[in-house]
Amino acid sequence: MYGLLLSVFLLAPPLATSGTVTFREADPAQSGVTWVHNNAMSDHRYLPETEPPGVAIFDYDNDGWMDLFMVNSGTAVFFRPRTPLRHALYRNNHDGTFTDVTQQAGITADLFGMGIAVGDYDGDGNEDLFITGYEKCVLYRNNGDGTFTDVTAGSGINPPGWSTAAVWFDYNNDAKLDLYVAQFVDYSSLRTCGAPESYGGNVQGSPAQQRYYCAPRIFRPTPSHLYRNEGGGKFTDVSQEVGISDHLGKGFGIVVTDINNDGYMDLFQANDMVPNLLFVNHKGKSFEEVGLPAGVGYSLSGQARSGMGVDAADFNGDGWQDLFVSNIDQELFSIYENNGDLTFDDLSLKTGVARVTRLLSGWGLKFFDYDNDGLIDLINANGHPDDMVDARSRGVTYREPLILFHDEGNGKLADVSQSSGEIFKRRVAGRGLAVGDLNNDGYLDVLVGVNGGSPILLWNNAETKNNWLGLHLVGTTTNPSAIGAIIKWQAEGRVRSLLKSAGGSFMSSHDPRVVLGLGKSEKVDWLEIHWPAPSQRVDRFTSLPVNRYVTIVEGKGIVK
């Protein structure tokens, strides 16, 4: 009966759309962002070729304008580039253009890169970088003068094998940012596959001699790693101590949020072809994995899926953090409603997400209020991991469109892609995705990493003219990024709240600032910042500007 209802639902006509904001794709010749990702694709079809790149939006030089970072591949046991490859750091010129400053900044590490995590781990006010990769990761300390120093060797951060996503957060509330690094499969064999063990299987007409990308199910899962920040640039691997390494996975996306509202940040990890992991943080002492009883480990039919991208937000405004995870085609994406008792309900059918994503394979994604109406929308980058899927699976393609969902305010997410810009009519091999305000107009722009192609930079055209307030939070006695802070505000008599989470998407990092969508309200009645432990201070403000950014320092208020 369930299968029949699912089929009927998925074949139903699409929801009426109501989007009023379009995104304009930047011309690389005009923006200056001319870097192209090299995915090292070979006739052998080595599995790491399929996944990157991660991307980031962050302010590396503290000038108040967000800059760009894109991860590239490099030397590995299965790949020797003919000419040296480089990652890409682009400085924002404040006029819609960007300048490549990678070499000047000292970003020269050679590794087969996957993702990027941004965070001020040493609390000096400068955002540092952690690049994940196959068999190697790199930690860059931001020197505060436009340059970075590779400090990996003395840091104690040395995850083995294949690292994918990473996220900075304060797991033990000691005011220092710790680092979680997800690990994918054991690929030490460098095994490649014929059709029977590939994503599509041995379909009729598959050439016996053809090499395909192996389905990850045939490789062993591995434990992820948690590194405690000891101060002074030193980290200790506490994965065994806190129970993280007891649970093997095939980790892709990670998001840090507080699912039980106890003031300690929890972890949700999407896994490929094995159950997702949900780690509940027990007061910074240990983590308990509850994915199965919570209802987020498997699909509605009890199957482990190909989890890739993740995010968290209070989607329905009930004060509890909900979760989202994207999967491969035919598996459906899931939006999990938090019931407030450590259980979740999958709303993918009810919200309309299932119908739209049935034939898509999702990677980078983000909950964000793109039109500043106060409701949480969603964007997804998609693309199949098998570059030959077009010839092997009806209705599924290697390159796929981006999808933009608009929150209708009635529990439905309407697909407004076709009315939101020409980019949504194009197909790409989308992977990492980051969201941020690149021109400081209060409307969030989007950066998408493309596997083996040029990144996509999308300007938000802001047609709604809704009002907004932007916040840059700086912790002093709490962690410097204020991860875990609860923001509460009232506009036009309505009280809303938002938790500052960390991570999310797929191997990418977002603009760390927070934009509050105010709709047509011309003022904020009041605003409260509930700083996370160990501070737990509450700062309250009643005279606030609109349509501008303000910096709020814990205990000092609004500063210039």
Side-chain angles (χ1 to χ4, degrees), residues 31-35 58-63 65-70 86-93 97-108 129 140 142 145-148:
S31 70
V33 182
T34 58
W35 174 90
F58 75 116
D59 184 6
Y60 89 97
D61 54 0
N62 279 337
D63 66 351
W65 294 76
M66 294 294 120
D67 310 298
L68 310 177
F69 193 94
M70 284 80 75
R86 61 179 180 83
H87 312 289
L89 174 64
Y90 279 90
R91 184 184 64 224
N92 191 329
N93 297 324
T97 69
F98 297 81
T99 298
D100 188 340
V101 294
T102 315
Q103 290 296 117
Q104 301 96 302
I107 308 292
T108 58
L129 302 176
Y140 276 110
N142 188 332
D145 59 1
T147 67
F148 292 80

Side-chain angles (χ1 to χ4, degrees), residues 39-122:
N39 62 358
M41 183 178 285
S42 67
D43 292 337
H44 293 286
R45 299 298 196 276
Y46 293 114
L47 193 55
E49 300 168 3
T50 67
E51 294 176 10
V55 297
I57 295 177
F58 75 116
D59 184 6
Y60 89 97
D61 54 0
N62 279 337
D63 66 351
W65 294 76
M66 294 294 120
D67 310 298
L68 310 177
F69 193 94
M70 284 80 75
V71 177
N72 209 350
S73 63
T75 303
V77 292
F78 55 84
F79 179 54
R80 293 289 187 273
R82 294 180 179 178
T83 58
L85 299 178
R86 61 179 180 83
H87 312 289
L89 174 64
Y90 279 90
R91 184 184 64 224
N92 191 329
N93 297 324
H94 312 175
D95 59 1
T97 69
F98 297 81
T99 298
D100 188 340
V101 294
T102 315
Q103 290 296 117
Q104 301 96 302
I107 308 292
T108 58
D110 183 16
L111 74 158
F112 199 94
M114 289 284 151
I116 176 76
V118 179
D120 180 12
Y121 75 83
D122 54 2

Side-chain angles (χ1 to χ4, degrees), residues 183-415:
Q183 300 287 112
F184 197 47
V185 299
D186 179 356
Y187 194 65
S188 56
S189 66
L190 300 182
R191 182 176 174 180
T192 60
C193 290
E197 294 172 317
S198 68
Y199 280 98
N202 194 19
V203 298
Q204 186 176 2
S206 298
Q209 72 280 7
Q210 178 67 57
R211 294 284 91 187
Y212 298 91
Y213 288 116
C214 300
R217 69 170 59 89
I218 71 175
F219 300 107
R220 292 181 299 174
T222 58
S224 294
H225 292 265
L226 177 64
Y227 293 92
R228 184 176 62 219
N229 190 338
E230 308 290 3
K234 305 295 183 181
F235 294 81
T236 299
D237 188 339
V238 295
S239 311
Q240 185 68 45
E241 175 184 326
V242 301
I244 292 291
S245 61
D246 296 338
H247 303 278
L248 305 184
K250 299 179 181 181
F252 269 158
I254 316 164
V255 66
V256 168
T257 190
D258 186 359
I259 65 166
N260 54 1
N261 289 341
D262 69 346
Y264 285 85
M265 301 301 280
D266 311 299
L267 286 158
F268 180 54
Q269 174 177 304
N271 287 320
D272 195 353
M273 298 187 173
V274 295
N276 300 322
L277 299 173
L278 179 58
F279 288 108
V280 174
N281 187 341
H282 289 304
K283 300 187 182 304
K285 304 297 183 182
S286 65
F287 286 85
E288 179 186 3
E289 203 288 300
V290 299
L292 175 59
V296 299
Y298 295 87
S299 69
L300 285 169
S301 58
Q303 302 296 314
R305 292 179 290 181
S306 303
M308 294 182 280
V310 295
D311 203 16
D314 182 7
F315 168 72
N316 54 6
D318 65 354
W320 297 90
Q321 294 294 298
D322 309 302
L323 303 173
F324 190 93
V325 60
S326 61
N327 301 294
I328 206 168
D329 66 280
Q330 312 296 343
E331 294 182 346
L332 311 183
F333 300 0
S334 287
I335 180 168
Y336 290 111
E337 180 183 42
N338 190 333
N339 296 320
D341 59 359
L342 291 182
T343 68
F344 293 77
D345 290 329
D346 191 337
L347 302 185
S348 58
L349 300 176
K350 183 178 178 181
T351 57
V353 167
R355 174 180 51 253
V356 179
T357 62
R358 182 172 65 91
L359 296 179
L360 298 177
S361 298
W363 302 83
L365 56 93
K366 179 62 176 170
F367 277 123
F368 74 132
D369 182 5
Y370 72 83
D371 55 357
N372 285 338
D373 66 353
L375 300 174
I376 300 175
D377 312 303
L378 178 70
I379 190 168
N380 246 107
N382 306 291
H384 201 279
D386 180 2
D387 66 312
M388 293 183 285
V389 71
D390 303 60
R392 307 176 72 211
S393 182
R394 186 176 181 180
V396 178
T397 59
Y398 173 58
R399 293 178 175 84
E400 298 176 345
L402 280 69
I403 298 293
L404 182 67
F405 290 100
H406 182 262
D407 188 337
E408 300 291 274
N410 58 1
K412 304 291 185 181
L413 285 169
D415 177 7

